[in-house]
Amino acid sequence: MNVLLDNFSDFRAGFIGTLSITAFSTAIALVLGVIIAGFRVSPVPPLRFFGTAWVTLLRNTPLTLLFLVATFVVPLVFFPGMSSFVLASLALGFYTSSFVCEAIRSGINTVPLGQAEAARSLGMSFSQTLRLIVLPQATRTVIPPLSSIIIALTKNSAIAGAFNVVELFGWQKSLSDQGYAIVPIFIWVALGYLVITFTISGLFRLLERRMEVAR
């Protein structure tokens, strides 16, 4: 207990850091995931090609490599002076967007084709059909896999600690370097991650219950 009490301010900063990078990365992943999923099912070949390339490249690239590119290449070539937190959030959000995209695309495929054909017969464009007809129906089937993806994102955020981002796993490394016993440190770090992941899981279960179809 003394490990936490003696370093509570640093633990709090790490916990808030993990919460922050999880929130920002989740927002990036969800927005990009929906857009890329739309590209993947688009009738326009270049958009389908771009969506396929995006998913294939990011899903098959190690996350640590993406962090390295975001930390050392992006500021040098594109955005000098960008903070480590923003760069880490972008790397994690871009990586996770490929998994969000595939989950959403799977949900889109569960919607009967007749729904889209009926919308087109009414004169609706592809974007209107996707936004007003297909995605609302696909959301119910997408929520459970999205929960697992966001929980995985939370745990993946631990990599950010190695790239000058204040978060829980970085707090563990700092205390280990100071000579504190490793077991109590890991217990508190694990409890911090459990609080976040259980909260995410509970929010998604609540959302799933609210959107379920009465049987």
Side-chain angles (χ1 to χ4, degrees):
M1 191 68 182
N2 289 337
V3 172
L4 179 66
L5 294 178
D6 293 343
N7 302 275
F8 184 75
S9 60
D10 292 334
F11 176 83
R12 180 179 58 193
F15 184 81
I16 293 174
T18 296
L19 274 178
S20 300
I21 193 171
T22 297
F24 278 96
S25 300
T26 296
I28 294 169
L30 290 176
V31 171
L32 284 177
V34 171
I35 293 173
I36 301 299
F39 286 179
R40 293 274 275 155
V41 298
S42 170
V44 181
L47 292 181
R48 289 202 307 271
F49 174 80
F50 180 85
T52 301
W54 179 282
V55 171
T56 302
L57 178 64
L58 290 176
R59 289 187 70 178
N60 292 286
T61 301
L63 180 55
T64 304
L65 179 59
L66 290 179
F67 270 93
L68 287 170
V69 172
T71 302
F72 298 109
V73 177
V74 172
L76 186 64
V77 178
F78 300 105
F79 304 107
M82 185 174 287
S83 70
S84 298
F85 175 82
V86 173
L87 292 170
S89 298
L90 289 173
L92 189 54
F94 277 44
Y95 175 78
T96 309
S97 71
S98 62
F99 296 90
V100 171
C101 166
E102 290 301 275
I104 293 175
R105 188 169 70 93
S106 297
I108 290 173
N109 289 336
T110 65
V111 179
L113 184 60
Q115 297 283 330
E117 292 176 343
R120 283 197 296 269
S121 70
L122 294 174
M124 299 178 71
S125 65
F126 170 77
S127 60
Q128 289 175 321
T129 302
L130 188 66
R131 178 167 49 88
L132 300 176
I133 305 298
V134 177
L135 283 178
Q137 297 182 70
T139 301
R140 295 188 183 95
T141 59
V142 166
I143 289 175
L146 278 184
S147 174
S148 299
I149 291 170
I150 301 307
I151 288 173
L153 179 151
T154 304
K155 293 182 284 188
N156 286 336
S157 69
I159 299 176
F163 296 91
N164 299 322
V165 177
V166 178
E167 50 81 52
L168 277 174
F169 214 72
W171 177 77
Q172 167 269 321
K173 184 178 184 301
S174 175
L175 291 191
S176 297
D177 292 342
Q178 295 177 39
Y180 284 91
I182 194 69
V183 173
I185 297 173
F186 271 113
I187 289 175
W188 288 114
V189 169
L191 287 174
Y193 278 108
L194 283 174
V195 168
I196 297 173
T197 55
F198 280 170
T199 301
I200 293 172
S201 180
L203 289 173
F204 273 92
R205 280 200 301 270
L206 178 63
L207 185 59
E208 189 176 358
R209 284 199 298 269
R210 288 178 63 90
M211 298 192 67
E212 67 182 355
V213 178
R215 293 179 173 85

